[in-house]
Amino acid sequence: MWNKRLNGLHIILASGSPRRKKFFEELDLEVAIDVRPVDEVYPDHLKGREIPDYLAVLKASKFKETLNENDVVITSDTVVWYKNESLAKPADGNEAYEMLRKMSNDWHEVITSVCFTTSVKQTVLNSTTHVRFKELSDEEIWYYINTYKPFDKAGAYGIQEWIGLIGIEEIKGSHANVVGLPTHLVHKTLMGMVS
């Protein structure tokens, strides 16, 4: 039913993330995958949700001149925000360890921004989820890093992986948002485009 209502849209997902692609499959939405390289650098003065907002728009800029009337490009970015600091994708195991050690026994925010770009309009939305880790032992942290190698994930972890299953005590907000896409906002926004 939902797919039929959105048949007039050609949805382009500009992400190589298998997790985001799977969300669209689970939403019963057909998407074309088109990833265009962009240097994910943002101005130093940006804080919190301003960072993924900026990067989602930056990723969309690669498509603006090539969109047809029924195209909608979806770009997104996720940051882990902890004590006024953005914890990006770790460069190596030691950096991943430092991130997880910091967040151990404390709350952090996961902020995902989604940018919807058509030939005539651009909309940016974001969602924030508050997540609390238990006290993680060094053994648990290193087991996770060595086994799952979370170097492609902001904050050095995936909530859907082992560390999330054993380490997350409490969550306030959208679980899907922490995985990488606020699906409730995506669905609502796309339906608004055809209503």
Side-chain angles (χ1 to χ4, degrees), residues 5-64:
R5 288 179 64 180
L6 294 171
N7 267 348
L9 296 180
H10 178 236
I11 303 170
I12 302 165
L13 176 61
S15 173
S17 165
R19 298 173 296 280
R20 290 182 178 133
K21 181 175 182 286
K22 185 167 174 55
F23 272 136
F24 279 91
E25 291 171 358
E26 291 171 343
L27 288 169
D28 293 330
L29 295 174
E30 293 178 13
V31 296
I33 304 296
D34 186 351
V35 183
R36 301 185 184 182
V38 63
D39 192 9
E40 296 184 30
V41 177
Y42 58 87
D44 290 340
H45 67 273
L46 297 183
K47 302 290 183 188
R49 66 185 183 187
E50 296 171 343
I51 297 170
D53 279 3
Y54 178 91
L55 291 173
V57 171
L58 181 66
K59 293 173 184 178
S61 68
K62 297 292 183 177
F63 293 84
K64 277 198 168 180

Side-chain angles (χ1 to χ4, degrees), residues 141-154:
I141 292 172
W142 281 114
Y143 171 79
Y144 174 66
I145 293 168
N146 292 329
T147 305
Y148 290 86
K149 306 190 187 320
F151 309 123
D152 64 333
K153 297 176 177 67

Side-chain angles (χ1 to χ4, degrees), residues 16-177:
S17 165
R19 298 173 296 280
R20 290 182 178 133
K21 181 175 182 286
K22 185 167 174 55
F23 272 136
F24 279 91
E25 291 171 358
E26 291 171 343
L27 288 169
D28 293 330
L29 295 174
E30 293 178 13
V31 296
I33 304 296
D34 186 351
V35 183
R36 301 185 184 182
V38 63
D39 192 9
E40 296 184 30
V41 177
Y42 58 87
D44 290 340
H45 67 273
L46 297 183
K47 302 290 183 188
R49 66 185 183 187
E50 296 171 343
I51 297 170
D53 279 3
Y54 178 91
L55 291 173
V57 171
L58 181 66
K59 293 173 184 178
S61 68
K62 297 292 183 177
F63 293 84
K64 277 198 168 180
E65 305 303 318
T66 62
L67 294 179
N68 296 314
E69 188 177 346
N70 67 330
D71 288 341
V72 54
V73 174
I74 298 178
T75 53
S76 60
D77 195 80
T78 300
V79 300
V80 171
W81 190 250
Y82 177 74
K83 294 192 184 301
N84 213 34
E85 178 187 3
S86 175
L87 303 182
K89 296 171 184 175
D92 55 33
N94 289 330
E95 197 168 294
Y97 170 82
E98 290 301 326
M99 289 182 186
L100 292 168
R101 171 52 52 217
K102 281 180 187 178
M103 294 185 290
S104 176
N105 198 35
D106 206 351
W107 287 93
H108 62 274
E109 296 177 358
V110 179
I111 310 165
T112 300
S113 298
V114 186
C115 179
F116 302 82
T117 304
T118 69
S119 59
V120 295
K121 186 179 178 184
Q122 188 167 72
T123 303
V124 183
L125 304 170
N126 55 63
S127 178
T128 300
T129 304
H130 300 266
V131 181
R132 179 180 174 83
F133 270 118
K134 71 165 191 160
E135 179 72 54
L136 298 168
S137 70
D138 284 355
E139 183 181 16
E140 289 168 336
I141 292 172
W142 281 114
Y143 171 79
Y144 174 66
I145 293 168
N146 292 329
T147 305
Y148 290 86
K149 306 190 187 320
F151 309 123
D152 64 333
K153 297 176 177 67
Y157 81 95
I159 193 172
Q160 71 279 13
E161 294 179 341
W162 184 84
I163 196 85
L165 296 174
I166 67 101
I168 290 174
E169 289 186 329
E170 198 170 348
I171 180 169
K172 296 178 182 177
S174 165
H175 179 275
N177 184 57

